[in-house]
Amino acid sequence: MSVSIKSDGVLERVAQNLGRLPDWLPAIVRVHMDTLGAIVVDEMKAAVEEHRYTGALSDSITHQAADGGYEQRIYPTAMRGAYDAGTILELGTRPIPNARWAPIRAWADFRGLPAFPVWWKIRTLGVSEHPFLERTLQASGEHITEAARRMVTTAAEQILYGGGKVGV
């Protein structure tokens, strides 16, 4: 007794599409990672919004592809003098004994606070930390999961059906 299996070409097509995986998978990943980067930029902007003053920090948040598009780097680029504004907001500072009066007064006026106590606190204790990175990651969790789901779904469709425009 012998068993005979006749293929209708589906398995061969799947094998052929898998063989071309290096040609089409990078495009799928890059498209979805770039979209995810833009979404996480919005989440980071929302996380720093409650500390908005001039908007320079929020406006400077950007994303950049790295590692051939397999990684997204999301970060603010604003500076406060020679110091990274995002790091100051996230970690705070040590005392700044030579803190200038005018910018602190302008910030305090914007917030409706008395300027002298704010200026004195910064000079003697430093700027308080206001962590935003963890909030950004928490808010981005569902977006990250959705991007991964879309990558896997698009890749599965490409394996099964092949052809067509990849990564859309």
Side-chain angles (χ1 to χ4, degrees):
M1 173 182 241
S2 69
V3 176
S4 175
I5 299 174
K6 184 175 179 186
S7 171
D8 60 358
V10 172
L11 295 177
E12 290 81 3
R13 187 174 64 240
V14 166
Q16 186 178 32
N17 291 340
L18 279 170
R20 290 195 311 265
L21 184 134
D23 297 332
W24 53 260
L25 185 60
I28 290 171
V29 173
R30 286 183 190 118
V31 164
H32 291 292
M33 288 297 288
D34 190 61
T35 302
L36 178 61
I39 291 168
V40 176
V41 163
D42 291 341
E43 294 294 353
M44 186 176 284
K45 286 181 178 187
V48 303
E49 184 61 31
E50 70 183 89
H51 303 289
R52 185 179 189 83
Y53 171 43
T54 65
L57 179 63
S58 179
D59 292 346
S60 78
I61 297 172
T62 187
H63 71 103
Q64 180 181 33
D67 191 24
Y70 294 102
E71 178 182 319
Q72 286 290 312
R73 296 182 181 169
I74 298 104
Y75 54 91
T77 60
M79 301 294 285
R80 301 284 184 259
Y83 301 97
D84 181 288
T87 301
I88 292 172
L89 184 64
E90 179 74 15
L91 302 176
T93 69
R94 294 184 295 205
I96 307 172
N98 60 348
R100 295 186 353 231
W101 170 256
I104 295 170
R105 186 188 70 216
W107 180 89
D109 289 347
F110 175 78
R111 292 285 177 186
L113 299 170
F116 181 79
V118 173
W119 176 75
W120 186 253
K121 181 201 171 285
I122 291 171
R123 287 179 61 105
T124 59
L125 300 175
V127 175
S128 298
E129 62 184 39
H130 300 285
F132 64 94
L133 294 176
E134 181 65 29
R135 288 194 319 263
T136 300
L137 284 173
Q138 290 294 328
S140 301
E142 290 181 24
H143 302 297
I144 294 167
T145 300
E146 177 62 16
R149 187 191 66 73
R150 288 179 184 268
M151 283 184 237
V152 169
T153 301
T154 307
E157 290 171 352
Q158 188 69 17
I159 290 168
L160 293 174
Y161 307 114
K165 194 168 183 179
V166 175
V168 193

